[in-house]
Amino acid sequence: MQHQNSHAMVTRYKIKTLTEFVIENQSEYPHAKGALTRLLNDIGTAAKIVNREINAAGLVDILGTVGSTNVQGETQKKLDVYANDTFITTLRGGGECCAIASEENEKVISFQNNIAELGKYVVAIDPLDGSSNIESNVSIGTIFSIYRRQSEMGPGTHEDLLQPGVNQVAAGYVIYGSSTMLVYTTGKGVNGFTLDPSVGIFCLSHPNMKFPDNGNIYSVNEGYHVYFPEGVKRYIKYLQEEDPCTRRPYTSRYIGSLVADFHRNLIRGGIFLYPATRKAPNGKLRMLYECNPIAFLAEQAGGKASNGFERILEIQPKTLHQRAPLFTGPKKMVEKVEELMRIHSPEVKDTPLVEEEG
Ligand code: P6P
């Protein structure tokens, strides 16, 4: 009997935790002195706190049916602000980050670190993306992007956050769904960790995530079809034609929560499209804390991320909250929509950037 118990204990503790994994992989960065490790763990800590509140919000939501929609509205507003405050407080306290660009804040939030070797990184974050879906209990997420600061010392600067996506040292998302996962990359592949809520530990559950070669899912809000560029209309029509050799027609799946749509497509194989439209000439998604981190993950998972004409990661951001069209998924799927955009909507390439605050 004793032998069986000890075997069970061994099995239980074969799991690799996020902390162990990040430390083990830190050795691949000879100059790393643990700062990025600590920063990634700080993000994991904040995610656990936000996760707990989101679940509680679900509870309040049930109670909220008794009250007016104000309760649900307050909960959503509270949750957006709560998530933002939690990540800012945790990152400020961790000392590894000297500035944050957040979807919730018009300007960069800068921190003064009094210890010279601290504050080497800056973070762009969407603390709670898709939060309008909370009342329908749809998965939502946090999306983050990490860069080395460019400025020498002192509080981080606005310019520290306006770096092209190729400069990212790490990026990832947390998906608050049927289970809570943290998925991230530091440029050496994509790894997924599932939160064990009973002990509050992220455990490696999806090592070395890659897009399946031949996905057959497409995700786009077809309600905007009339506003799409001709190249996107042609692509959707192509996907809906019958051709068993290319597994067409594809399956349409759209949740309206970027992290949930991207995560499903990464696992099952599919392309996500948020094109520029007549109503949103630069698209809807934000460069710094939606397109760039998702693009980094997509490329590290063997896929592609484009604005229809060029690689997302090579675009030089001009403002903190600027938008970009996003086509991301398996290489072949993205290349097909790029081909049709070049042929049928070349004029979209030179759409002027609508100046956004920040
Ligand atoms: P639409 C959520 O509001 C979000 O920013 C992304 O998470 C999502 O992909 C997109 O907007 C959905 O936008 O216009 O289809 O509702």
Side-chain angles (χ1 to χ4, degrees), residues 96-239:
E96 303 304 345
C97 162
C98 63
I100 294 178
S102 167
E103 197 260 355
E104 296 291 329
N105 298 78
E106 189 185 328
K107 305 289 181 200
V108 165
I109 304 140
S110 298
F111 311 137
Q112 169 69 47
N113 282 298
N114 300 321
I115 303 170
E117 63 271 9
L118 287 183
K120 292 278 181 267
Y121 296 102
V122 296
V123 177
I125 190 164
D126 188 349
L128 206 54
D129 180 75
S131 55
S132 56
N133 291 298
I134 286 179
E135 80 273 15
S136 43
N137 225 356
V138 164
S139 300
I140 51 179
T142 297
I143 313 171
F144 63 89
S145 178
I146 302 174
Y147 296 85
R148 269 186 209 80
R149 68 181 300 168
Q150 302 287 299
S151 53
E152 284 302 310
M153 59 178 69
T157 66
H158 183 91
E159 289 64 32
D160 280 329
L161 270 301
L162 291 181
Q163 300 185 49
V166 284
N167 289 7
Q168 291 174 97
V169 292
Y173 57 79
V174 182
I175 178 166
Y176 308 99
S178 47
S179 64
T180 294
M181 281 190 68
L182 188 150
V183 176
Y184 85 97
T185 182
T186 56
K188 295 187 184 297
V190 177
N191 291 282
F193 299 78
T194 299
L195 180 65
D196 177 341
S198 66
V199 290
I201 294 176
F202 278 108
C203 305
L204 180 63
S205 53
H206 295 65
N208 193 26
M209 298 176 81
K210 295 286 182 195
F211 281 109
D213 285 337
N214 49 3
N216 74 332
I217 292 172
Y218 72 100
S219 306
V220 66
N221 187 335
E222 303 207 48
Y224 302 149
H225 191 273
V226 68
Y227 304 127
F228 287 159
E230 184 57 25
V232 172
K233 290 179 181 176
R234 296 288 182 113
Y235 182 62
I236 292 171
K237 186 171 178 306
Y238 165 79
L239 297 180

Side-chain angles (χ1 to χ4, degrees), residues 214-218 246-252 268-271 333:
N214 49 3
N216 74 332
I217 292 172
Y218 72 100
T246 54
R247 300 173 67 195
R248 288 180 290 153
Y250 280 7
T251 297
S252 173
R268 293 184 45 202
I271 183 169
M333 298 176 88

Side-chain angles (χ1 to χ4, degrees), residues 6 20 31 45 55 77 102 104 112 131 140 147 182 223 246 292 295 337 357:
S6 58
E20 288 164 339
H31 313 300
T45 301
N55 295 337
K77 282 201 275 294
S102 167
E104 296 291 329
Q112 169 69 47
S131 55
I140 51 179
Y147 296 85
L182 188 150
T246 54
N292 270 334
V337 68
E357 284 304 313

